[in-house]
DNA sequence: TATTTCCTGACTATTTTACTTGGTTATTAT
DNA sequence: ATAATAACCAAGTAAAATAGTCAGGAAATA
């Protein structure tokens, strides 16, 4: 009962964007360094996020990505869905046909579970999540790490 | 956001066992046929289920498997846990160390989600699930399928 | 003793995930 | 202009997980 980790990366990256919302664009290179995700992998994820209207890409120097809506209006479910998988917990993919064209014994169970997971994720916005105490501590730690590592700071770290 | 499907097979097989609870042992060959799961794969799954005390194996002719507790006392969560993965939704596996030894941004999110999933599955017993209307319809369909296919019926199908 | 069925371990194919490579375009700064 | 920056794009690859096979044993029954 593992959950696929692709969505995890997307959510992490989106949170990084949310942290710097209103401060101009953030480059994928920055996110890659701060969150420890491969740059090219991020590019693939952001292609999806962009096509689903969650982020805007800005090319050229000084460019990067930024949220296309305020972080109060983007839920974790939005991000997961944009990545392309939805929350598909059934084997049949909602078609009710995985046992020789007919509904299998457990279809209803997984369908319900999928619904629950989605509801849960819908209830959490990027903004509300970042305001949690534990999460905020991580944000501050990452900013300190960056300040130590790089002589030229990210413009957003005061 | 797919869920691993290994647990799905285990739950399906356990439901088959629950259907025939109190009617003697059911062979893996029967389950394999009724639910469309490979026999050798079932054997691997049942090794786990047995080690975790959910089922009892009986060897020799007339043998098979049966639940070691009544289906009212086995939850779907029990089955999933026995299969060995637990409901591990975090990347770090609960160690809070997936970003260079420290807690990553999203740890709390996945940990909470995992908790919700587990609670949901704890609340569903094999017995209660089989009593649902939709599910019961599938059970009856499978019994009819069997009756048509095999001249010598499963002893449990009257 | 022959058959049935569980039981075990190792091995293989397939799929998914995570990542790389090698580019191209658009934008800005010099 | 031209050089630097950074998004964009299309493949291809490496590693891991999943799903399944194979070949044989060991206990129980008839
Ligand atoms: S999971 Fe939908 S029919 Fe089996
Ligand atoms: S998921 Fe636990 S620290 Fe990242």
């Amino acid at each position: 009962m593992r959950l696929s980790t692709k969505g995890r990366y997307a959510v992490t990256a989106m949170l990084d964007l949310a942290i710097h919302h209103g401060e101009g664009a953030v480059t994928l290179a920055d996110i890659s360094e701060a969150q420890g995700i491969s740059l090219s992998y991020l590019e693939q994820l952001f292609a999806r996020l962009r096509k689903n209207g969650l982020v805007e890409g800005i090319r050229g120097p000084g460019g990067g990505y930024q949220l296309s809506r305020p972080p109060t209006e983007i839920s974790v479910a939005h991000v997961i869905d944009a990545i392309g998988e939805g929350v598909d917990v059934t084997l049949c993919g909602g078609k009710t046909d995985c046992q020789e064209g007919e509904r299998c014994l457990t279809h209803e169970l997984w369908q319900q579970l999928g619904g629950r997971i989605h509801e849960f994720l819908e209830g959490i916005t990027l903004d509300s999540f970042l305001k949690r105490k534990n999460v905020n501590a991580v944000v501050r730690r990452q900013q300190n790490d960056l300040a130590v590592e790089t002589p030229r700071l990210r413009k957003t770290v005061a």
Side-chain angles (χ1 to χ4, degrees), chain A residues 88-111:
Chain A
D88 185 12
V89 188
T90 58
L91 180 61
C92 60
K95 292 190 220 147
T96 326
D97 67 348
C98 83
Q99 184 166 20
E100 291 162 23
E102 303 214 60
R103 165 197 298 256
C104 76
L105 255 185
T106 52
H107 178 85
E108 192 180 335
L109 177 63
W110 310 120
Q111 192 173 38

Side-chain angles (χ1 to χ4, degrees), chain A residues 24-147:
Chain A
V26 179
T27 70
L28 291 188
D30 280 346
I31 297 178
S32 170
E33 194 180 351
Q35 308 301 335
I37 309 171
S38 133
L39 177 59
S40 316
Y41 200 38
L42 277 175
E43 285 180 339
Q44 289 173 34
L45 297 176
F46 272 79
R48 298 279 185 125
L49 295 173
R50 192 168 47 83
K51 275 169 195 154
N52 283 78
L54 290 178
V55 298
E56 280 168 11
I58 300 162
R59 300 210 221 189
Y65 279 98
Q66 59 192 21
L67 300 180
S68 46
R69 297 203 296 271
T72 48
E73 289 172 28
I74 301 178
S75 72
V76 175
H78 285 137
V79 178
I80 299 287
D81 289 347
I83 279 307
E85 318 161 272
V87 179
D88 185 12
V89 188
T90 58
L91 180 61
C92 60
K95 292 190 220 147
T96 326
D97 67 348
C98 83
Q99 184 166 20
E100 291 162 23
E102 303 214 60
R103 165 197 298 256
C104 76
L105 255 185
T106 52
H107 178 85
E108 192 180 335
L109 177 63
W110 310 120
Q111 192 173 38
Q112 250 189 40
L113 176 60
R116 291 293 187 98
I117 293 175
H118 207 265
E119 278 167 28
F120 174 73
L121 296 177
E122 274 168 0
I124 301 177
T125 65
L126 299 184
D127 183 65
S128 69
F129 187 69
L130 284 175
K131 281 182 179 150
R132 296 188 188 184
K133 222 175 64 183
N134 290 339
V135 180
N136 206 269
V138 177
V139 173
R140 283 201 304 278
R141 196 196 72 224
Q142 288 187 352
Q143 289 177 339
N144 288 338
D145 288 356
L146 260 188

